Amino acid sequence: MALYLRRAIRLRNTALLLRSSKIQTCNVSHFIFSQNQKTCHSQKPSPLSSFDFLRDSRRGFAKGKKSKDDSGGNTIELAPDIGPTVKASAASQMDAAIVALSRELAKLRTGRASAGMLDHIIVETGGVKMQLNHLAVVSVIDSKTLSINPYDPNTIKELESAIVSSPLGLNPRVDGQRLIAAIPPLTKEHMQAMCKVVAKSSEDVKQSIRRARQKALDAIKKAGSSFPKDEAKRLEKEIDELTKRLVKAADDLCKAKEKEITQG
């Protein structure tokens, strides 16, 4: 009887042990499986994370448009060098004023024949108005005589009429297929009137040169603190020197014209 009892107790303990081992094995398997699932889920790429990375990268590039200094301060912007542009613009305007003065002075008749003294005369032919030097070649025969040779001989009458109607006081005559214009001597009254015109032209061109100078100085002043002070002073000095040089050039042209008028 005791033997049967010991065997029953042993079998019960063995069954309990086997049951406990099975439960533990299941728990361990479940734990391992759960950990594997978590690992798989953590390693699976997330579309949203990729999108966030691209979005952050794009933001980084957008912010990178502004270059900052190494200290992390604000953007450093260099002001453009306006000096050459301002000076070139002023020089161009002043040169244009001198060219215009030369053309105006060439229109004034003196006691000497000049090939360019007829260039400003407008001739109407075939219903079209053109400058005389586009229709004929003007040459100097001597100090008192001009020759006008039309490209088209059929325009000789229109050329003659235009010259007579001009304020130069010339009366050309037809000589075959050309015109001959004698330059009459200037009267004292005519000389005085021409000298007044020269003086007026001189003052007009000087005002144009000074206006160009003032525009340049205004442009420098407008640049303000973005333009270094020493550079501004240097540029102002260069513009003043340019102004003085071209004003003197205008004076020289007008004085030469007055001498040509008075000396006949």
Side-chain angles (χ1 to χ4, degrees):
M1 185 67 179
L3 179 63
Y4 288 130
L5 288 173
R6 285 196 298 270
R7 288 181 178 177
I9 292 171
R10 185 182 298 171
L11 290 173
R12 186 188 65 178
N13 292 337
T14 303
L16 291 172
L17 179 62
L18 289 175
R19 184 178 178 183
S20 175
S21 299
K22 185 176 180 180
I23 292 173
Q24 291 178 359
T25 302
C26 291
N27 290 336
V28 169
S29 299
H30 179 70
F31 173 77
I32 295 173
F33 178 75
S34 300
Q35 292 297 321
N36 289 338
Q37 283 186 330
K38 290 180 180 180
T39 303
C40 292
H41 283 299
S42 63
Q43 292 178 351
K44 185 177 180 180
S46 173
L48 183 59
S49 298
S50 300
F51 176 78
D52 291 340
F53 172 78
L54 293 175
R55 181 182 61 190
D56 293 340
S57 299
R58 291 179 62 187
R59 287 179 179 176
F61 282 120
K63 293 179 180 179
K65 291 180 180 179
K66 295 183 178 179
S67 59
K68 297 184 177 180
D69 58 2
D70 295 337
S71 62
N74 294 330
T75 303
I76 300 175
E77 296 181 359
L78 297 177
D81 186 5
I82 65 171
T85 302
V86 171
K87 185 177 179 181
S89 177
S92 177
Q93 295 175 38
M94 294 179 186
D95 288 340
I98 294 296
V99 171
L101 175 63
S102 299
R103 291 176 179 173
E104 289 299 318
L105 296 180
K107 297 177 183 180
L108 301 178
R109 182 175 76 83
T110 64
R112 292 179 175 271
S114 171
M117 65 187 303
L118 305 181
D119 289 350
H120 68 284
I121 295 177
I122 302 299
V123 181
E124 183 173 359
T125 176
V128 179
K129 293 182 179 181
M130 301 177 66
Q131 288 186 339
L132 186 144
N133 59 349
H134 293 166
L135 297 172
V137 177
V138 180
S139 57
V140 177
I141 297 177
D142 55 46
S143 62
K144 299 292 183 179
T145 311
L146 289 176
S147 173
I148 302 97
N149 298 273
Y151 296 120
D152 182 2
N154 294 325
T155 62
I156 195 167
K157 290 296 182 182
E158 288 85 349
L159 290 169
E160 179 183 11
S161 177
I163 294 172
V164 171
S165 300
S166 72
L168 296 176
L170 303 180
N171 291 292
R173 59 181 176 83
V174 178
D175 182 25
Q177 293 186 344
R178 68 174 183 172
L179 294 172
I180 300 296
I183 309 300
L186 294 176
T187 63
K188 185 177 181 179
E189 291 76 12
H190 196 178
M191 289 181 184
Q192 292 175 349
M194 290 298 100
C195 288
K196 288 181 180 180
V197 173
V198 172
K200 177 69 164 55
S201 299
S202 175
E203 187 58 32
D204 289 344
V205 74
K206 288 177 183 178
Q207 289 181 3
S208 297
I209 293 173
R210 294 187 183 106
R211 281 196 297 269
R213 170 187 175 274
Q214 189 60 48
K215 287 181 181 179
L217 297 181
D218 290 343
I220 297 172
K221 185 177 180 180
K222 187 176 181 181
S225 59
S226 63
F227 197 60
K229 290 184 178 181
D230 55 342
E231 289 294 324
K233 293 293 184 182
R234 179 186 59 80
L235 184 57
E236 289 176 359
K237 183 178 180 181
E238 291 179 357
I239 292 174
D240 285 340
E241 291 175 352
L242 178 65
T243 302
K244 292 177 182 178
R245 185 168 66 250
L246 290 182
V247 165
K248 185 178 183 302
D251 281 335
D252 292 342
L253 284 173
C254 292
K255 288 178 180 179
K257 190 65 178 182
E258 288 178 353
K259 183 177 180 181
E260 184 181 351
I261 292 171
T262 55
Q263 291 183 356

